[in-house]
Amino acid sequence: MWSDPEQGLRLKATSSETGQSGEMLCKEGTTYTSAPLLADSLRQSGQNITLPPDLTDVYVLGTPGQQGCSSFYAIAETAKADPAQDGSVNGVKTYAVAAASGPTSDVYRIAAEEKPYLLQLRSSRDGRTSTTTYDSFGDKFTINVPSDDKTMTMNEFRRRASGRS
């Protein structure tokens, strides 16, 4: 994941279960999730989704909630220090904080030296786990969102991916 408060963020993901990859962008309070990534995520949660070939280069629009794009790297207010999970991420020494509630848990690994910033998030949701590693902190980059003809709403995506015309 690459993030710049002025630009937004870009996340590239690959499923460890299916090998499917895709990306998600967030800019100015709007998310753009590649249709293959979204379809794979929905299938893994038990939904019957078939991605039509003409949607492989389309992005599905969404909103990340009240925090906007920063919600993707916000640390839960309930997180507490967890020294047993301190370590390093890509050679950078980290300290860990963890938050849990019911079947949900998160471990945040934060740079321990100089300016503290989030380097990694390990999440577990109802037995499904994911690891997000944040990259290029402080580097300048540009987020280019897809053109209108390469986006669709979630309702349109569900209609098309469920086989309804």
Side-chain angles (χ1 to χ4, degrees), residues 72-102:
F72 292 99
Y73 49 91
I75 297 172
E77 291 181 19
T78 59
K80 305 260 189 261
D82 189 348
Q85 298 197 60
D86 289 354
S88 67
V89 174
N90 295 330
V92 177
K93 185 177 176 182
T94 64
Y95 67 92
V97 296
S101 178

Side-chain angles (χ1 to χ4, degrees), residues 129-157:
T129 60
S130 68
T131 300
T132 302
T133 301
Y134 300 79
D135 194 355
S136 306
F137 180 80
D139 291 354
K140 292 294 178 192
F141 64 97
T142 302
I143 299 286
N144 294 312
V145 298
S147 60
D148 288 347
D149 66 324
K150 292 293 183 184
T151 64
M152 66 175 37
T153 65
M154 178 63 89
N155 286 341
E156 175 69 6
F157 172 79

Side-chain angles (χ1 to χ4, degrees), residues 58-132:
V58 170
Y59 287 76
V60 180
L61 301 170
T63 54
Q66 292 180 331
Q67 291 180 306
C69 298
S70 66
S71 66
F72 292 99
Y73 49 91
I75 297 172
E77 291 181 19
T78 59
K80 305 260 189 261
D82 189 348
Q85 298 197 60
D86 289 354
S88 67
V89 174
N90 295 330
V92 177
K93 185 177 176 182
T94 64
Y95 67 92
V97 296
S101 178
T104 298
S105 65
D106 296 312
V107 175
Y108 305 88
R109 298 181 88 191
I110 301 163
E113 299 172 359
E114 297 181 28
K115 185 173 182 173
Y117 55 95
L118 184 59
L119 283 170
Q120 190 175 73
L121 168 60
R122 287 192 319 245
S123 296
S124 178
R125 304 281 184 272
D126 296 316
R128 295 178 60 208
T129 60
S130 68
T131 300
T132 302

Side-chain angles (χ1 to χ4, degrees), residues 21-34:
S21 64
E23 70 178 356
M24 196 251 341
L25 310 167
C26 188
K27 188 166 185 168
E28 298 174 356
T30 300
T31 59
Y32 303 80
T33 305
S34 64

